[in-house]
Amino acid sequence: MSEALKQDYVVCEEIGRGRFGTVFRCASAESGDFYAVKSIDKRVISQGDSLDAQCLFTEPKILTLLYPHPNIINLHSLYEDDTHLHMVLDLCNSPDLHQRVVSLRAIPEREAASVMSQLMQAVAHCHRLGVAHRDIKPDNILFDNQNRLKLGDFGSAEFSKEGELMSGIVGTPYYVAPEVIAGRDYDEKVDVWSAGVVLYIMLSGIPPFYGDSATEIFEAVIRANLRFPTRVFHSVSPSAKDLLRRMLCKDVSRRFSAEQVLRHQWITSFEEAIATG
């Protein structure tokens, strides 16, 4: 563990573990405030894919660019030693969206609208600054102890200059946009598609496109045959279904942008209802 890190923060218990590193809870030696420190083992990455090595250094750059935003995991400090890169991040120790969907099966529309509004505020901020997240899914939608959404894990994110397209198959089968699977160049609207899948799952408890293998899932995504089975969508409003059609639109030119999602009546009506109590 970096000596500079240990001078500035008291590192506490392990709270998570991933492919390349470990996450610990830590406390600022100066203020006593709690954070998470993500310690990434550079040796493991150097033995693997060069893309992984690139992500190691891209993620801190992107988080620095996006800082600060209330709905994005904020990078507070960065340390590096011979073997590890240590990122001090917002602490999100409430259940993530994946855990919430599993426990609730389906999320009420009012709560789902609040989650989607916060998520799309984060995505719109990314897109305004030329960043595409490229791996939006419930596991990466975190919550702090005030129940405020924090979009996390920018390891697959990419800089996306206006008018320039990205390439490369990146993402998670259920959530990846059809143009990515098809091997075409794509823009930041892949994030809107992924967020649309997240919304569909929140409202129904099931994914919109599925199969028994990654190949079958990809084939279903490319077909993009969006349906609303009555058994799970019988109580979902027409307005929510309209927004889903606009987010899960195979034609990218007609697919909503993040800003358009935020202006949709399904989002704004719930925001107005919450504001007026």
Side-chain angles (χ1 to χ4, degrees):
M1 192 72 71
S2 163
E3 288 302 319
L5 169 65
K6 288 194 283 188
Q7 284 178 3
D8 295 340
Y9 295 90
V10 178
V11 180
C12 309
E13 76 277 9
E14 179 183 321
I15 55 174
R17 188 174 284 262
R19 193 159 52 118
F20 300 123
T22 310
V23 182
F24 301 91
R25 190 169 64 97
C26 68
S28 167
E30 184 179 339
S31 68
D33 293 337
F34 285 104
Y35 298 92
V37 57
K38 183 177 179 181
S39 294
I40 300 164
D41 192 333
K42 296 190 291 187
R43 296 164 298 183
V44 175
I45 290 178
S46 66
Q47 295 164 6
D49 194 315
S50 61
L51 187 62
D52 293 329
Q54 182 186 329
C55 292
L56 173 68
F57 298 103
T58 301
E59 185 173 15
K61 283 181 188 173
I62 285 175
L63 289 175
T64 300
L65 173 68
L66 298 175
Y67 179 91
H69 191 278
N71 299 121
I72 292 174
I73 200 103
N74 287 304
L75 175 65
H76 297 278
S77 305
L78 185 66
Y79 302 87
E80 188 173 2
D81 54 37
D82 291 342
T83 59
H84 286 76
L85 187 74
H86 308 281
M87 293 192 288
V88 178
L89 305 159
D90 290 335
L91 178 64
C92 295
N93 48 7
S94 294
D96 63 32
L97 187 60
H98 173 74
Q99 293 166 318
R100 293 178 185 212
V101 170
V102 167
S103 64
L104 292 173
R105 191 61 184 167
I107 291 176
E109 281 191 50
R110 184 184 176 107
E111 186 182 336
S114 173
V115 169
M116 192 53 46
S117 174
Q118 293 178 79
L119 174 60
M120 298 315 291
Q121 294 280 2
V123 172
H125 180 69
C126 291
H127 292 178
R128 281 193 294 269
L129 291 173
V131 171
H133 186 282
R134 302 202 300 176
D135 195 20
I136 291 174
K137 58 184 177 181
D139 318 56
N140 291 337
I141 298 170
L142 314 174
F143 297 89
D144 64 15
N145 58 8
Q146 296 173 300
N147 203 36
R148 182 169 48 201
L149 182 147
K150 297 276 187 177
L151 178 59
D153 196 348
F154 282 75
S156 298
E158 182 63 271
F159 290 105
S160 168
K161 293 178 184 172
E162 191 172 355
E164 291 185 12
L165 298 177
M166 293 167 283
S167 61
I169 296 180
V170 178
T172 304
Y174 283 120
Y175 305 93
V176 71
E179 61 268 27
V180 177
I181 299 168
R184 298 198 303 271
D185 290 347
Y186 51 86
D187 64 16
E188 74 283 350
K189 282 188 180 179
V190 295
D191 288 341
V192 176
W193 176 280
S194 300
V197 177
V198 170
L199 176 56
Y200 189 103
I201 289 172
M202 279 199 289
L203 295 175
S204 67
I206 59 172
F209 314 109
Y210 52 87
D212 293 329
S213 67
T215 302
E216 287 185 12
I217 295 167
F218 287 153
E219 288 170 352
V221 170
I222 286 176
R223 285 195 299 274
N225 185 12
L226 184 62
R227 293 177 176 172
F228 301 108
T230 306
R231 64 185 175 83
V232 285
F233 274 93
H234 59 88
S235 61
V236 174
S237 68
S239 181
K241 294 174 187 173
D242 179 72
L243 178 56
L244 282 167
R245 288 189 192 96
R246 295 173 189 275
M247 295 176 77
L248 295 172
C249 178
K250 189 175 179 180
D251 182 345
V252 180
S253 67
R254 291 173 52 237
R255 187 183 307 161
F256 263 16
S257 67
E259 299 280 4
Q260 286 175 304
V261 173
L262 287 168
R263 293 195 297 268
H264 190 272
Q265 185 263 338
W266 185 74
I267 298 279
T268 56
S269 63
F270 278 107
E271 286 176 341
E272 288 165 9
I274 291 166
T276 56

